[in-house]
Every structure is written in structure tokens, then in C-alpha cells.
Amino acid sequence: MIVLSAAMLPSIGCVAAPGGTAASPIHLNQLGYLEASRKIAVIGLADAAAGGISRYTIEDAKGRTVLEGVLQPAADWEPAAQQARIADFSALRNPGVYRLKVEGLPLSDPFPVAKDAYQPVLDAALKAFYFNRASSALPREFAGRYARAAGHPDTDVRIHASAASATRPEGSAIAAPKGWYDAGDYNKYIVNSGISTYTLLAAYEHYPALFRAQALSIPDDAPGVPAILREAHWNLAWMLAMQDPADGGVYHKLTNKGFDGTVMPDQARQPRYVVMKSTAASLDFAATMAAASRIYAPFERQYPGLSARMLAAARAAWDWARQHPRAIYRQPPDVFTGGYDDAQVDDEFAWAAAELYIASGEDAFYDAMIARNVPASVPSWGQVGGLAWMSLAQHRERLTPHADRARIEREIDTLAARLAEQWRTSAWRVSMQTRDFVWGSNAMALNQAMMLLQGYRLSPQRDYLDAAQSQLDYVLGRNPLGLSYVTGIGLRSPRHIHHRISEADGIAEPVPGLLAGGAQPGQQDAKDCKVGYPSRQPALSYLDDGCSYASNEVAINWNAPLVYVSAAIEALTR
Ligand code: G3I
Ligand code: 9MR
């Protein structure tokens, strides 16, 4: 049997399907599957034609039938208003390249079954953070044809009126270089940086062996430190500079007043500001720094004093937030960039308290967390309560006797069980419901997967792992558009993401490894788009056009769970 590695498939795809030949209605994970993966394909048909078909076969690379099966009955999938039929071919375990065949339909794309099937997406998704570094030139050695000059040095950042204090009056200057650009824009937002950085740190904390073995081509400025932690450090260094040393409060964002045009970083000239200290930013900062303080502690030699500094910074930010519990971010009238404004901060208090409890062992922090009464939920930039329970679950064996371990396990399991039930009863076999098609729906899918995986880590119920696999399948091609939503990954992937660098660099292919936000019916960018969306259906409302910031932008908080989930599936599937 010919073994074709998953890593080879994208290049084959570029030859065979440049930007999208007519896709088959047979949708599957374009990176294929691990030997022990649950393997599900979905046939999506806009009409009842699906009803007539009943059998499928799997062919190997030589056209020999290696498996036959019966399709499950057609059922309606509301988010796409389509009928779906499932082919479950999990019995296929031998490495190889295959196609799925259904009488009367175009053959599926070829897909591999291979060990390390998701290593390419894991590597690319992490490397994408490097490609989005602010304040740095990207040399050819690491960036290849995406090499570029430095932009946004952020060494002369002005204090905006909303952020003025006695020691830092309006218009005075601070330096806050480095960090990642948030998304397709060039601004840097603490709220979104917090969850993104934490999610990468959690991936490392949960699967250290996998990340220690990862060879990633980024600068080695801290020999002996895994690439994921070196990359995260680039952003943590910036975050630390966003704290006012005079009082511990953390600025909400570092930004232009208005979005840059579609130019490369070195061509962007607008003045930069830090804007308003906020409760949410201070708490997300506190949580992330407390988590980072424990994760970087073993690397004292490479980062002397960093771990202690982070814990002290976390405590100071926490104290500030306690004194300013209602410093809710409001966009000043002269600032027009992203808001990340969230008026409900109980979950941010709970998350910061949980991380400070784990870092310090002080029971008062546990009580502060419980007092907020925040249940586990699927994380997003504005809803971080699930991260608190996820960290507590990870550390449950080492918590003080004060912690209620049964409650921690119950919170995670209740959420995972609900998501698994949604998966079992879904015609498309995903946890995603119609309401989950929000701005950044692909990250919603992956954050659901991340919480299913927390459930699996606590009690290895196979459904939790299989449902998480399905969510990754969805993002990598098993969706009604037949698109792998990650640039450069899979046979058909976005070509025109809303990402200033990809749009302005003169290279036809977008920067690789970036997850597009995905389908959602809001179409808030319709006024900026000359082409119309093809559909209003939640799971079909997607436009592969640079104009579409509401469906085709990229963002660090969307890429981070892609790193987590692809790593976890690799590490846990057997
Ligand atoms: O909170 C309400 C909820 O109560 C309501 O039921 C629901 C119904 O639509 O809307 C919820 O608000 C949504 C909000 O996100 C919180 O989820 C808004 O509709 C939605 O428009 C908003 O989208 C955010 C978008 O910025 C616009 O503000 C995205 O979550 C957020 O990821 C995105 O972030 C941008 C940054 O501002 C700038 N940088 C790029 C980045 C990615 O596009
Ligand atoms: O480029 C901006 C993107 O990063 C934001 O997520 C989005 C929503 O805030 O806004 C984009 O900027 C657009 C602006 O809101 C309206 N005019 C067109 C801009 C993009 O071309």
C-alpha cells in the first residue's frame, strides 16, 4: 500500500484543485485521519436527493475497494438548511490514501489515514503567530517568501486622554513593543491577547512531550525552551509593558485611532496610543500572568526572574481590579478600532482568582473564584469562565484541601456531556448549533472541542474524543462549503482572508496557517463588499474575499484553539 504523508497532500491539492474545482458533496477532513480516529464523512445535499442513496465504498489509491458501508438515514441540519447523510468508516485503520465513493455522486477528494495527520496544521497554526509578530522584521531564514520589514516599533506610544494618570499625563510616552497583531488589523488588545496566550500555554502544559519534540522554524532566542513558549514569550513581553507600574492597572489596548489601510507593517504611519485601563483587561492579564508564572518557572536559566515578575504583576493587576470593579471599557469618541468591550466581568474575576489560587496556593483566591458563581462554559474572548475550571481540573491533584475536587470535575463533565449530546443528535455530527454561528464561528467549534477534550482528560469517554475530532473535521473540511478554513492547509482553503499583510504583500497565496473566522449570518461587512454573500444560512454565510472582515478575517484567539485541539487530538487518539 502506498503511504502518502498528510504533509504532502496540500501541494498535491495545489496542482489538482487550484483554488477550488467543483467540490464533491462528500465532505471530510482534508488532512485525513489518524489510524485510531473516529472517521466520519458527511454527504450534504440541498434537496431530498440524498434519500435515494444508501451505500458507500472506500477505495484505495489503486482503485481497489477496501471497505463498504451503509449511509445513515438523511436528516435535516438546520444551520445549512441541508439534508445530511453520514458515512462512518472508522473501521478503516490502515495507513494509505483513499477516496470515498457514493453511486451517482462525484468521488470524494483523496484523503490519507496516517500517523501524525495533524502535525502540518499544528505546525502551521503555531507558526502563524510568528508571522503576525509586531515590531519585528521577519527574515527569510524563518519567513521564506513571506519575509518582511519591521513595522509598529511601539517604542513611542502616547497615553490617550482616557488613560491619563498623575505619573503618566495625557500625551506622555511609553514603550510597549512586541506582541502579536490581533488579527487582520495591526492593533494589540489585552483582552484578546489574554485568552490567546493562555490557550497556547495550556496546550503546552497539557501536552509537553509533543511540544518539546516540535521542530518549528522561529528564532531561537532561548535555547532549551520549546518553540511554543518562545513564541508566547514574544506576546507576554508586550503584555507586561501594558501594566502601569504606578498602580498595577492594565491598559485595554495599544492602538491607532483608526484602522490602518491595506498596507504592509512598515508602511503604517499612524500614531499609537494606549487607551483606558479596564477591569476586564486587568483581570485577563492577571489570569494569563499567573498561569505563565508557573509555566515559565522551569526556565529560570533562559528567562531569569521572569516567573517571579509575572506573579507579582498578576497580583498587582488583581488588586487594581478589586479596587476598580466597574472600569468597564467604553470606546472613546476619537478611537474607532476593535472594542473587545464586555460589561459582564464575573467570569474574568473568577478566571483570575482561579489562576492566582493555583499559582499561590492561597485559599482566599479559591473563595474569590467560587463567590462569582460562574459555571463552566465554552470559552471566548468575552466569556472566560471555562478557562478557570479547565486550569483547576488540570491541577486538581495539587490543589489545597480547601478545593472541592468533585465540583471541579462535575463542572467540566456537565459541559462536555452537553456538547457530546449535541454532537450525537446532530445531523452533521457536530456540536455546533445554529446559535453557535457567531463572528468567529470556527473558533467556537474549536473551543467546544477544547472543552470536550477537558472532559475526556478527566474521564476517557470515547464520545468526548470523537465529538472533538468531529469539530476539528468541521474546520478542516467536513463542512457544507467543503473548505478547510486554514490557509495553505488541505485541498481547498481560503485565498483572500481579511489580513492586511496577506492582502498587501504582493504574494498570491495568503500567509499560511491562519484560521478564517468562518460562516455566520450577521454579514456586518456587506456594506464594504462589492460581491454579495452566497447565502444567508448560518453555516453557508461566508465570503472568501478580502472585504469580508465578518467572515474571513483571522485572529489570534481563533488560531490558538486550533493549536490546542490539533495537538490534543494527536496526543490523545489511540
Ligand atoms: O454580546 C452580544 C449578545 O448579547 C447577542 O445575543 C449577540 C447577537 O448577535 O451579539 C453579541 O455581540 C457580538 C459580540 O461580538 C460578542 O460576541 C456582536 O454581535 C458581534 O458583532 C461581535 O463581534 C466581534 C467583532 O470584533 C466586532 O466587534 C467579535 O466577537 C470579535 O472577535 C471581533 O474582533 C475583532 C476586533 O474587534 C478587531 N480586530 C479583529 C478582530 C476579529 O475580527
Ligand atoms: O479591518 C478591520 C477589522 O480588523 C475589524 O475586525 C473590523 C470590525 O471592527 O473592521 C475592519 O475595518 C473596516 C471598518 O470597520 C469599516 N471600513 C472598512 C474597514 C476594513 O476594510
Side-chain angles (χ1 to χ4, degrees):
M1 192 168 300
I2 300 163
V3 179
L4 182 66
S5 87
M8 290 167 73
L9 266 185
S11 55
I12 287 176
C14 287
V15 179
T21 20
S24 165
I26 304 171
H27 306 301
L28 30 74
N29 188 323
Q30 294 180 14
L31 284 190
Y33 304 86
L34 302 167
E35 292 160 53
S37 290
R38 181 77 179 266
K39 300 177 185 73
I40 292 173
V42 179
I43 297 150
L45 290 176
D47 54 48
I53 317 162
S54 65
R55 299 195 70 80
Y56 72 88
T57 55
I58 306 261
E59 293 185 351
D60 69 9
K62 294 197 169 134
R64 294 174 301 210
T65 298
V66 293
L67 194 80
E68 288 180 75
V70 177
L71 296 174
Q72 293 172 18
D76 290 326
W77 193 50
E78 185 187 82
Q82 283 188 10
Q83 293 247 301
R85 299 198 64 178
I86 302 289
D88 186 338
F89 54 101
S90 305
L92 182 74
R93 294 178 71 105
N94 288 339
V97 178
Y98 304 94
R99 287 177 186 256
L100 196 148
K101 194 173 176 178
V102 174
E103 207 55 47
L105 296 180
L107 212 57
S108 82
D109 287 325
F111 65 90
V113 171
K115 194 189 278 217
D116 305 335
Y118 307 121
Q119 194 70 43
V121 66
L122 172 56
D123 291 347
L126 184 55
K127 180 72 179 264
F129 286 85
Y130 171 74
F131 283 125
N132 242 30
R133 281 189 184 191
S135 320
S136 179
L138 305 192
R140 202 158 272 277
E141 178 190 358
F142 303 115
R145 61 181 171 149
Y146 299 99
R148 59 174 170 84
H152 304 91
D154 290 341
T155 45
D156 181 18
V157 177
R158 300 295 151 150
I159 302 287
H160 185 266
S162 59
S165 58
T167 48
R168 290 180 165 182
E170 179 184 356
S172 56
I174 65 164
K178 302 189 180 177
W180 300 307
Y181 297 129
D182 182 56
D185 64 329
Y186 289 142
N187 304 297
K188 306 189 288 195
Y189 309 84
I190 286 290
V191 164
N192 205 42
S193 259
I195 181 171
S196 307
T197 309
Y198 167 83
T199 301
L200 294 186
L201 297 182
Y204 170 74
E205 192 173 49
H206 298 188
Y207 312 103
L210 188 151
F211 285 103
R212 271 192 237 114
Q214 186 182 30
L216 201 73
S217 169
I218 63 167
D220 192 3
D221 46 10
V225 177
I228 191 169
L229 297 188
R230 301 202 308 276
E231 192 50 49
H233 182 259
W234 185 264
N235 201 57
L236 287 159
W238 165 66
M239 288 181 75
L240 283 168
M242 290 292 282
Q243 183 173 45
D244 182 350
D247 62 6
V250 179
Y251 305 108
H252 196 73
K253 60 177 173 175
L254 191 164
T255 181
N256 303 341
K257 287 193 174 178
F259 288 111
D260 284 305
T262 308
V263 297
M264 290 300 280
D266 62 319
Q267 299 301 311
R269 303 264 179 270
Q270 295 189 47
R272 306 276 272 179
Y273 298 87
V274 287
V275 181
M276 191 180 154
K277 290 169 194 165
S278 73
T279 309
S282 298
L283 291 168
D284 288 339
F285 172 101
T288 307
M289 287 301 161
S293 76
R294 65 177 190 253
I295 289 162
Y296 286 83
F299 302 103
E300 192 60 29
R301 184 169 58 80
Q302 294 92 340
Y303 300 117
L306 180 66
S307 172
R309 184 178 166 210
M310 286 168 156
L311 187 54
R315 285 182 184 274
W318 167 263
D319 290 342
W320 187 91
R322 290 285 295 267
Q323 288 152 25
H324 303 83
R326 295 297 305 162
I328 300 305
Y329 183 74
R330 300 226 185 289
Q331 187 93 299
D334 60 337
V335 176
F336 302 96
T337 53
Y340 289 119
D341 41 336
D342 174 12
Q344 222 295 85
V345 291
D346 279 326
D347 52 321
E348 283 79 6
F349 269 108
W351 182 33
E355 299 295 349
L356 279 159
Y357 167 59
I358 296 163
S360 69
E362 293 170 24
D363 289 342
F365 283 121
Y366 182 82
D367 294 339
M369 140 106 199
I370 295 301
R372 295 284 164 172
N373 204 15
V374 174
S377 63
V378 176
S380 66
W381 64 260
Q383 215 168 337
V384 292
L387 306 178
W389 294 109
M390 176 167 149
S391 281
L392 290 172
Q394 165 70 11
H395 289 270
R396 66 193 185 287
E397 304 303 341
R398 293 177 289 281
L399 301 178
T400 66
H402 194 63
D404 181 348
R405 282 170 187 69
R407 163 119 193 245
I408 294 166
E409 288 170 19
R410 206 165 56 240
E411 286 284 347
I412 296 280
D413 193 69
T414 302
L415 176 58
R418 175 171 67 74
L419 293 167
E421 178 61 15
Q422 288 172 197
W423 168 77
R424 266 191 299 275
T425 55
S426 154
W428 207 273
R429 213 62 97 245
V430 287
S431 299
M432 297 282 281
Q433 308 286 296
T434 299
R435 63 172 179 273
D436 295 325
F437 288 84
V438 295
W439 189 312
S441 58
N442 286 332
M444 172 68 89
L446 292 168
N447 279 312
Q448 289 180 343
M450 187 168 81
M451 297 316 282
L452 281 158
L453 291 162
Q454 303 319 303
Y456 186 71
R457 290 163 57 79
L458 285 180
S459 63
Q461 304 183 45
R462 185 70 201 204
D463 269 8
Y464 293 175
L465 180 64
D466 291 348
Q469 167 82 43
S470 279
Q471 301 290 99
L472 183 62
D473 290 351
Y474 170 86
V475 164
L476 295 181
R478 204 242 282 163
N479 56 64
L481 299 174
L483 198 66
S484 158
Y485 281 107
V486 186
T487 54
I489 289 291
L491 295 169
R492 303 159 209 280
S493 59
R495 305 278 299 174
H496 308 288
I497 49 176
H498 183 81
H499 181 240
R500 283 168 175 71
I501 297 168
S502 294
E503 293 173 85
D505 63 6
I507 301 170
E509 289 74 31
V511 171
L514 288 161
L515 175 68
Q520 62 106 357
Q523 304 189 358
Q524 293 88 338
D525 47 22
K527 61 184 182 314
D528 294 302
C529 289
K530 292 193 186 73
V531 276
Y533 276 77
S535 170
R536 284 206 161 275
Q537 295 300 331
L540 305 176
S541 178
Y542 168 80
L543 202 51
D544 185 13
D545 190 300
C547 68
S548 185
Y549 48 84
S551 80
N552 209 27
E553 192 165 357
V554 301
I556 54 174
N557 63 314
W558 304 341
N559 253 65
L562 178 60
V563 170
Y564 186 97
V565 172
S566 48
I569 297 281
E570 276 283 344
L572 298 174
T573 305
R574 25 199 132 272

